[in-house]
Amino acid sequence: MMIQTSPRSTALGITGLLGTISAVLVAILPFFQLVGRAIADGIISAIAIFFLIQMIAERNSRWLREGWFPLALALWLVIVLASALSHSSHSLVEALVMIRFPLFARALETWVLTSQKRQMSVQLSIAAAGVWIVSQCWQQYLTGTNLMGHPRWLDGALTGPFRGPRAGSALLMTFFPGLMLFPVLLFQKGGPRNKLLASALAAFLALTMVLVGQRMPTLQTGLGLLLCALLIRETRLIVAAAAGTAVLTILALPVLSPPAYHKLVIHFLEQMSDFPHSDYGQIYIRALMMVHQHPILGMGFDGYRRLCDDPIYQHGFPLLDKWVLQNNPHEGCNIHTHNFYLEIATSGGLLALALFVALVITWLSTLLRAYLSTRDALLGLLLVIMTVLFWPIESNSSFFTERTGGWVYLLLGLGLARARMLTIGQSARTQTTG
């Protein structure tokens, strides 16, 4: 007797296969975040498309209306509208395809990473990426070149496995959810030996970050360690060891790494002594000038880079006019604003900025509530890195690029998936016991 299958069951079987493929793809994504941005972007786009196919097969539209996604959708639509009004076809196309990032994070949260096994496979992959970065930084520090034969960068920064100075930001992305989880779990086991080993490992990671010699990743790591001590009680001793090691390393940098000392200490103090006239200060001032003149919808995707050279944006904001270097119209222009919030504001105006702030608050509050009710170590560390990445007063790479956006949405999706799984599991246990 032949067994007939319905078209619906066949469709669900196909989407089940897509779910398995997506789980494999996201597990290898951290590797391609390091070595193949085009492939990484393809993985993110494929998972977003597979997710849409899955939802259509299930006739499920709840994901569009629930939680944080309506805010993300509204933010995307505002930037698309602003890009359409900017009369730049390139800007409009880039804005339209930007939806792949929130779709990717939603897919991880509700479909791909719904099990402990899949979540830990991604965490281990992130940790492996971190180990690779650390090993290459130390090889370059000790021998002068990395495995590919690349020396330090021109300013003395360690490049790790990369040709250019990207090791600091990449190590930051893997530092807390990837590498720091192991000393935290080791410390939680208890016993003097485990605690000593956990503290030594955390201290080694902090030492590595300082020796890399990049200012902002070092400051962000310091902020993250502080948040760890505040949120995760078990980390206070290992954070003290890491922070103490970082301070001692900075003091010893003139001997250990003179180039890193010059960049981390001398150059940083020079910039802070007159920040408005520094390169970053001029970038932020120019971006604020542009937002001041286009407050509602901004200038569309990539509007800052496209229009920055226009002399009209050298004046017009009385509070900032006195700091503008009028003799150089190109001062303050760059490929992006070096700040997530300014990038959103120049792309979609204050309307987009308000939506983005609401979105960030929603993401962080979701992670915080789940962590406070479960005290899960991995979730706590994911909350730490997301708080660090969305800290408003700091320099960032472009939020819209795969190099940064890929990491941000991968870590966000993993965090939201874990928060959802733990919350559902806790509710089920409460109902059972009740």
Side-chain angles (χ1 to χ4, degrees):
M1 184 176 67
M2 295 182 62
I3 300 176
Q4 295 184 342
T5 58
S6 67
R8 180 171 173 77
S9 63
T10 301
L12 292 177
I14 293 173
T15 56
L17 176 61
L18 293 180
T20 302
I21 294 172
S22 296
V24 173
L25 289 176
V26 76
I28 63 174
L29 179 58
F31 170 77
F32 288 107
Q33 283 292 134
L34 300 182
V35 300
R37 284 185 295 158
I39 297 175
D41 207 345
I43 289 173
I44 289 169
S45 301
I47 292 175
I49 293 169
F50 293 164
F51 175 65
L52 289 176
I53 294 172
Q54 173 76 21
M55 294 301 101
I56 292 171
E58 292 181 359
R59 299 175 184 174
N60 180 354
S61 62
R62 293 191 308 275
W63 63 276
L64 277 167
R65 305 187 301 271
E66 293 178 348
W68 57 270
F69 199 80
L71 283 171
L73 193 60
L75 173 62
W76 173 65
L77 290 173
V78 167
I79 295 179
V80 168
L81 175 61
S83 301
L85 295 175
S86 72
H87 305 294
S88 168
S89 58
H90 174 77
S91 176
L92 178 58
V93 171
E94 291 285 356
L96 287 170
V97 300
M98 192 175 67
I99 191 62
R100 69 193 186 281
F101 287 122
L103 280 174
F104 168 69
R106 191 61 158 172
L108 299 190
E109 177 191 15
T110 62
W111 179 50
V112 181
L113 300 182
T114 55
S115 69
Q116 171 85 359
K117 182 179 179 181
R118 288 184 175 183
Q119 290 169 14
M120 295 313 297
S121 69
V122 175
Q123 189 279 328
L124 289 173
S125 182
I126 294 170
V131 169
W132 173 241
I133 296 168
V134 169
S135 68
Q136 287 301 287
C137 286
W138 277 99
Q139 178 177 331
Q140 194 176 56
Y141 176 75
L142 295 173
T143 69
T145 62
N146 61 17
L147 192 63
M148 285 66 70
H150 300 143
R152 287 174 179 260
W153 194 240
L154 298 176
D155 60 5
L158 296 175
T159 66
F162 310 109
R163 180 186 295 272
R166 292 171 43 206
S169 56
L171 181 55
L172 175 69
M173 297 298 185
T174 64
F175 193 99
F176 293 99
L179 300 173
M180 273 293 286
L181 180 63
F182 298 103
V184 171
L185 294 179
L186 192 61
F187 190 91
Q188 288 177 343
K189 289 183 177 180
R193 182 179 178 182
N194 287 334
K195 292 181 178 180
L196 180 62
L197 185 58
S199 299
L201 181 54
F204 172 73
L205 295 175
L207 168 65
T208 304
M209 180 60 85
V210 173
L211 288 179
V212 166
Q214 290 185 262
R215 295 183 300 273
M216 188 49 61
T218 302
L219 290 171
Q220 290 172 305
T221 301
L223 173 61
L225 290 172
L226 176 62
L227 291 172
C228 278
L230 293 173
L231 285 170
I232 310 172
R233 290 188 295 269
E234 298 89 343
T235 66
R236 287 171 186 169
L237 181 59
I238 61 178
V239 165
T245 300
V247 171
L248 292 175
T249 304
I250 291 173
L251 293 175
L253 276 180
V255 176
L256 295 175
S257 179
Y261 176 75
H262 183 270
K263 188 170 184 180
L264 284 181
V265 180
I266 303 299
H267 193 200
F268 178 75
L269 292 177
E270 289 174 351
Q271 281 190 324
M272 291 299 103
S273 65
D274 189 14
F275 183 75
H277 290 132
S278 69
D279 293 340
Y280 287 105
Q282 288 296 299
I283 289 172
Y284 297 157
I285 288 171
R286 184 63 61 93
L288 288 170
M289 289 284 192
M290 299 172 88
V291 174
H292 182 258
Q293 297 200 37
H294 302 273
I296 299 177
L297 285 177
M299 297 165 294
F301 187 97
D302 207 24
Y304 165 81
R305 185 188 62 80
R306 289 186 294 107
L307 304 172
C308 184
D309 283 335
D310 193 325
I312 193 175
Y313 300 120
Q314 286 188 275
H315 53 81
F317 197 162
L319 293 176
L320 301 176
D321 278 345
K322 60 182 178 180
W323 285 310
V324 175
L325 299 176
Q326 299 288 351
N327 61 332
N328 186 356
H330 303 293
E331 192 72 34
C333 292
N334 207 290
I335 56 175
H336 56 80
T337 64
H338 288 76
N339 180 274
F340 289 166
Y341 297 87
L342 285 176
E343 187 170 27
I344 294 293
T346 54
S347 300
L350 297 180
L351 178 58
L353 180 61
L355 289 168
F356 183 66
V357 170
L359 191 56
V360 169
I361 292 173
T362 301
W363 284 334
L364 296 182
S365 61
T366 299
L367 298 178
L368 179 61
R369 285 195 303 270
Y371 171 70
L372 292 177
S373 64
T374 62
R375 296 292 175 176
D376 177 73
L378 176 55
L379 183 57
L381 292 168
L382 286 163
L383 171 60
V384 165
I385 185 58
M386 295 315 301
T387 304
V388 168
L389 292 176
F390 288 120
W391 198 259
I393 307 175
E394 63 184 17
S395 172
N396 311 104
S397 294
S398 174
F399 186 64
F400 298 143
T401 62
E402 194 285 324
R403 178 176 289 168
T404 301
W407 276 117
V408 171
Y409 281 99
L410 170 62
L411 298 174
L412 175 66
L414 175 59
L416 293 172
R418 191 154 187 86
R420 187 184 185 94
M421 184 193 74
L422 293 173
T423 302
I424 292 173
Q426 189 178 60
S427 298
R429 288 192 297 272
T430 301
Q431 291 176 0
T432 301
T433 56

